[in-house]
Amino acid sequence: MFDKYVNHDEAKKLRFFRMYLEQSSELIRDIFANVMTREQDKIISDCHQLKSISKTVGAMQVAEIAIQFEQACKDRELNIDELISFRDRLDDYYTDAMMFMQDFIKQRSE
């Protein structure tokens, strides 16, 4: 879907990946901080934004865990272990997506 959206344009894909990495890293940092302070309202907002930008670049696993995390926080007050569990799952998927995009950018920049 993402390739169709950027018309298979490598330069456009590079720009989208760079923008995503910049914006998503801030959201991830905020989500992680809000887990430690248990601020679920902020987690909901940040996960919602992360879901949207992740879908735009095709990072569907990141989007899916962000949706699950957002919904769990909306449904009830999560304890710290549950928050950390979601955070860790999000971190795993985000790290994979980030590494893929960084490799893509590096390969096209050489």
Side-chain angles (χ1 to χ4, degrees), residues 26-43:
E26 291 176 26
L27 290 169
I28 290 290
R29 201 169 30 248
D30 290 346
I31 291 167
F32 289 7
N34 291 323
V35 162
M36 299 317 294
T37 58
R38 300 181 189 188
E39 296 185 62
Q40 287 189 207
D41 288 341
K42 292 179 181 178
I43 293 170

Side-chain angles (χ1 to χ4, degrees), residues 44-66:
I44 290 167
S45 174
D46 291 337
C47 280
H48 186 78
Q49 291 177 60
L50 182 62
K51 168 201 67 175
S52 297
I53 65 171
S54 295
K55 282 184 174 182
T56 300
V57 297
M60 300 312 288
Q61 290 179 316
V62 176
E64 183 57 38
I65 190 65

Side-chain angles (χ1 to χ4, degrees), residues 11-91:
K12 191 180 276 189
K13 188 183 279 190
L14 281 170
R15 285 193 304 275
F16 270 79
F17 283 176
R18 285 185 179 118
M19 285 183 350
Y20 175 81
L21 290 172
E22 182 180 318
Q23 293 172 354
S24 63
S25 66
E26 291 176 26
L27 290 169
I28 290 290
R29 201 169 30 248
D30 290 346
I31 291 167
F32 289 7
N34 291 323
V35 162
M36 299 317 294
T37 58
R38 300 181 189 188
E39 296 185 62
Q40 287 189 207
D41 288 341
K42 292 179 181 178
I43 293 170
I44 290 167
S45 174
D46 291 337
C47 280
H48 186 78
Q49 291 177 60
L50 182 62
K51 168 201 67 175
S52 297
I53 65 171
S54 295
K55 282 184 174 182
T56 300
V57 297
M60 300 312 288
Q61 290 179 316
V62 176
E64 183 57 38
I65 190 65
I67 290 167
Q68 293 172 16
F69 199 178
E70 176 185 3
Q71 191 59 53
C73 287
K74 285 179 178 179
D75 289 344
R76 64 184 176 81
E77 194 71 27
L78 300 178
N79 65 43
I80 191 66
D81 290 335
E82 293 168 314
L83 290 169
I84 289 170
S85 177
F86 272 109
R87 181 204 63 195
D88 290 350
R89 288 175 44 216
L90 178 60
D91 187 38

Side-chain angles (χ1 to χ4, degrees), residues 3 6 8 12 15 49 63 71 107 110:
D3 282 328
V6 296
H8 304 284
K12 191 180 276 189
R15 285 193 304 275
Q49 291 177 60
Q71 191 59 53
Q107 290 174 5
E110 293 177 343

